[in-house]
Amino acid sequence: MDGKVAISEKIAQSAHVDCGDCPIRHRAVCARCEADELELLEQIKYYRNFEAGQTVIWSGDQMDFVASVVSGIATLTQTMEDGRTQMVGLLLPSDFVGRPGRERASYDVVATTDMVMCCFRRKPFEQMMVRTPHIAQRLLEMTLDELDAAREWMLVLGRKTAREKIASLIAIIARRDAALSMQGTRGPLVLDLPLTREAMADYLGLTLETVSRQVSALRKDGVISLEGKRRVTIPDMGRLLEEAGDDSDGGMLV
Amino acid sequence: MDGKVAISEKIAQSAHVDCGDCPIRHRAVCARCEADELELLEQIKYYRNFEAGQTVIWSGDQMDFVASVVSGIATLTQTMEDGRTQMVGLLLPSDFVGRPGRERASYDVVATTDMVMCCFRRKPFEQMMVRTPHIAQRLLEMTLDELDAAREWMLVLGRKTAREKIASLIAIIARRDAALSMQGTRGPLVLDLPLTREAMADYLGLTLETVSRQVSALRKDGVISLEGKRRVTIPDMGRLLEEAGDDSDGGMLV
DNA sequence: TCCATCGCTTGATCTGGGTCAAGGAGCTTA
DNA sequence: TAAGCTCCTTGACCCAGATCAAGCGATGGA
């Protein structure tokens, strides 16, 4: 335990951390790398910290690095000229930012919590990708997963009601939390919403007022209960998934 | 010209066609392959034909092949228990269907026109991918492009009005047609909508009535003109993009 | 030649969620 | 202790798009 604290402190200070000790070692783009490949990555990596609220990259900006999220959460958003915005991705620890071969960022990336990123200058990273197929393999796998997630969201955005949208979002966050924290899949789940009502609205294609109303409605109906504004308890996951309009098979927390 | 006709006839008959003569040779998943790699693919490929309206794969079905669209158009859709459906992808010639490493299909795939697909049994294809990085490289590139397209659609679905959605869809089809047919980027564009009103509605998260109304409205306002129900003329692409709510930079037909 | 079907259009009406507005709870700063 | 944030809630009203309904034109089979 002491070791872990020391490492997260080191990371927070942007001190050099050995890849072998990295918390996202087995899920990030480097997951498949062998010891020798890791060593090469080790040489070109560097850490960067961002504070909650800080913009990591503006859409259209020169993008001369790619990165993995080590800790914290960021959002990927698109904005229209008149200010309407739509979130198109939620970046969690181990997620990858940037696209090999692309000069400029296509989306705004904003830190919603304090964050640490493990960065690589783009050119050296691209060169490495050609030589080490393990990186490209893993990146393909991650990109396919993201594409599936994006398609799931297209259904949510295009066809679900406001109530179903909120239930879907809570269910997805619950599923992810359960996958990480490994609390038993039986019994009530407790989780913290990592997003403001406005960010939830941007994710779901709603207004923040509607988000607030539907969260209240789900609470009144006993589907969830709230402790403060962010901590959610789910007494019955099956009920929540029903409200989300998901197939009943979704009970298993992948 | 004679040669070309012969080839498309051969393909339509599911006769064997040399990869070197394939119409999607330079855009499909095999685009980066060298002659020797092509030869290996040649040995495991087989063609399949589908008629307009035919379902290629049902969501949840065993998926023991992957494939490239050679000609024709298919849709990728998700359906909720109560029948609400959302299109999550439009498959055009050279697009790839299926996911290496995945047993079962995640979406319904339906042919909207007569189609020919170039198929590979999944296992041999996966084995080839490990050995020939050119295939994995190209698939990564294609998947990243699809992810970008999906994110673009999330903005359309979440934040655009019905009128903007219709304009966006027409603009995208126009852009793709222009990229293929290489008609001059100046002057009026003419294109055929490859989708019924209902399919457009499923793509855009609307009802078919709203699609019909908004198409009529754009016609009345002179943004487009119609010849029959499917053939669209765009007198001024800039105007259309304005109606789509896109940034003005979109004038260039990528 | 007629009927049925499919894809589409248009009208009338209804409603879910947007918009506008007021205020509350929990902070930081002074 | 107050003043000023940010984030959130709730109410009143409105409108874009859904729903329900009728009908048209083209195609195709009997």
Side-chain angles (χ1 to χ4, degrees):
Chain A
M1 197 59 199
D2 258 19
K4 274 195 185 173
V5 171
I7 286 161
S8 62
E9 266 168 20
K10 261 191 171 176
I11 289 173
Q13 292 156 19
S14 296
H16 188 89
V17 173
D18 194 73
C19 284
D21 295 332
C22 178
I24 57 168
R25 166 74 179 91
H26 297 288
R27 310 203 68 210
V29 73
C30 51
R32 297 268 188 85
C33 289
E34 309 286 352
D36 55 330
E37 294 165 333
L38 265 196
E39 235 168 272
L40 291 171
L41 278 177
E42 190 107 49
Q43 286 165 20
I44 60 170
K45 83 177 182 190
Y46 57 99
Y47 290 106
R48 287 183 67 183
N49 287 42
F50 296 91
E51 287 174 22
Q54 203 179 342
T55 295
V56 177
I57 309 149
W58 294 98
S59 169
D61 274 8
Q62 187 87 19
M63 180 80 185
D64 38 29
F65 67 96
V66 296
S68 293
V69 177
V70 177
S71 66
I73 292 176
T75 62
L76 222 59
T77 58
Q78 256 182 318
T79 305
M80 295 172 66
E81 293 146 287
D82 62 6
R84 282 176 282 176
T85 74
Q86 175 66 50
M87 202 183 296
V88 296
L90 193 56
L91 299 171
L92 305 172
S94 83
D95 282 343
F96 187 76
V97 183
R99 171 169 173 168
R102 169 162 297 169
E103 288 273 317
R104 300 183 170 279
S106 306
Y107 313 100
D108 295 329
V109 180
V110 180
T112 60
T113 66
D114 289 350
M115 277 184 81
V116 181
M117 301 190 86
C118 174
C119 306
F120 308 95
R121 277 181 304 118
R122 194 160 57 82
K123 289 292 176 197
F125 186 83
E126 284 168 10
Q127 285 162 15
M128 260 207 79
M129 263 186 59
V130 178
R131 271 182 268 121
T132 55
H134 284 151
I135 296 178
Q137 265 173 35
R138 176 67 186 140
L139 189 56
L140 174 57
E141 197 172 45
M142 292 172 73
T143 306
L144 286 164
D145 285 341
E146 271 189 273
L147 185 57
D148 278 345
R151 286 176 166 161
E152 198 64 43
W153 271 111
M154 289 173 73
L155 176 64
V156 172
L157 289 170
R159 294 301 185 191
K160 291 196 178 179
T161 65
R163 184 183 174 98
E164 289 170 335
K165 284 179 175 180
I166 300 291
S168 298
L169 178 57
I170 296 175
I172 285 191
I173 295 172
R175 200 168 294 172
R176 168 177 64 72
D177 275 17
L180 282 183
S181 72
M182 290 315 238
Q183 39 177 318
T185 72
R186 290 288 150 209
L189 287 170
V190 181
L191 60 100
D192 282 305
L193 295 174
L195 301 173
T196 65
R197 296 288 186 265
E198 189 178 19
M200 290 171 69
D202 282 344
Y203 208 156
L204 297 168
L206 298 170
T207 59
L208 70 94
E209 293 95 328
T210 299
V211 171
S212 181
R213 270 187 258 269
Q214 297 297 338
V215 170
S216 298
L218 289 176
R219 181 173 45 67
K220 262 183 218 128
D221 296 346
V223 181
I224 58 172
S225 61
L226 290 175
E227 189 182 330
K229 292 165 192 312
R230 296 292 191 87
R231 174 148 298 181
V232 176
T233 305
I234 304 167
D236 178 355
M237 192 64 186
R239 173 78 194 286
L240 182 67
L241 289 170
E242 237 170 71
E243 292 287 353
D246 286 0
D247 306 63
S248 43
D249 66 359
M252 19 178 280
L253 300 163
V254 182
Chain B
M1 196 60 198
D2 258 19
K4 275 193 182 174
V5 170
I7 286 161
S8 61
E9 268 169 20
K10 261 192 169 176
I11 289 173
Q13 294 156 16
S14 296
H16 188 90
V17 173
D18 195 73
C19 284
D21 295 334
C22 178
I24 57 168
R25 166 75 181 89
H26 298 288
R27 310 204 68 209
V29 73
C30 52
R32 297 268 189 85
C33 288
E34 309 288 351
D36 55 331
E37 295 165 333
L38 265 194
E39 235 169 89
L40 290 171
L41 278 176
E42 190 107 47
Q43 286 165 20
I44 61 171
K45 84 177 183 192
Y46 58 99
Y47 290 106
R48 286 183 67 184
N49 287 43
F50 296 91
E51 286 174 22
Q54 201 179 345
T55 296
V56 177
I57 309 149
W58 294 98
S59 169
D61 274 9
Q62 187 87 16
M63 179 79 185
D64 39 28
F65 66 97
V66 296
S68 293
V69 178
V70 177
S71 66
I73 292 176
T75 62
L76 222 58
T77 58
Q78 257 183 317
T79 305
M80 294 172 67
E81 293 145 288
D82 62 7
R84 282 176 282 176
T85 74
Q86 175 65 51
M87 202 183 296
V88 295
L90 193 57
L91 299 171
L92 305 172
S94 84
D95 282 343
F96 188 77
V97 183
R99 173 173 171 166
R102 169 161 297 169
E103 286 274 316
R104 298 181 171 283
S106 306
Y107 313 100
D108 295 329
V109 180
V110 180
T112 61
T113 64
D114 289 351
M115 278 184 79
V116 180
M117 302 190 83
C118 174
C119 306
F120 309 94
R121 278 181 304 118
R122 195 161 56 79
K123 290 291 176 196
F125 186 83
E126 284 168 11
Q127 285 162 15
M128 259 208 81
M129 262 186 59
V130 179
R131 271 182 267 122
T132 54
H134 283 152
I135 294 178
Q137 265 173 34
R138 177 66 188 142
L139 188 55
L140 174 58
E141 198 172 45
M142 291 171 74
T143 307
L144 285 164
D145 285 342
E146 271 189 274
L147 185 56
D148 277 345
R151 285 174 167 161
E152 199 65 42
W153 270 111
M154 288 173 74
L155 176 64
V156 172
L157 288 171
R159 294 302 185 190
K160 291 196 178 179
T161 64
R163 179 189 254 257
E164 289 170 336
K165 285 178 175 181
I166 299 292
S168 298
L169 177 58
I170 295 174
I172 286 193
I173 295 172
R175 200 167 293 171
R176 168 176 65 71
D177 274 17
L180 281 183
S181 72
M182 289 317 234
Q183 40 177 313
T185 72
R186 292 288 152 212
L189 286 170
V190 181
L191 60 99
D192 283 304
L193 295 174
L195 302 173
T196 65
R197 298 288 186 261
E198 188 177 20
M200 292 172 67
D202 283 344
Y203 209 156
L204 298 169
L206 298 170
T207 58
L208 71 92
E209 292 95 329
T210 298
V211 170
S212 180
R213 271 186 255 271
Q214 296 297 338
V215 169
S216 297
L218 289 176
R219 181 173 45 68
K220 261 183 217 128
D221 297 345
V223 180
I224 58 173
S225 61
L226 290 175
E227 189 182 329
K229 291 163 192 314
R230 297 291 192 87
R231 174 148 296 183
V232 176
T233 305
I234 305 167
D236 177 355
M237 191 64 186
R239 174 79 194 287
L240 181 67
L241 289 169
E242 237 170 71
E243 293 286 355
D246 286 0
D247 307 61
S248 42
D249 66 359
M252 19 178 280
L253 301 162
V254 182

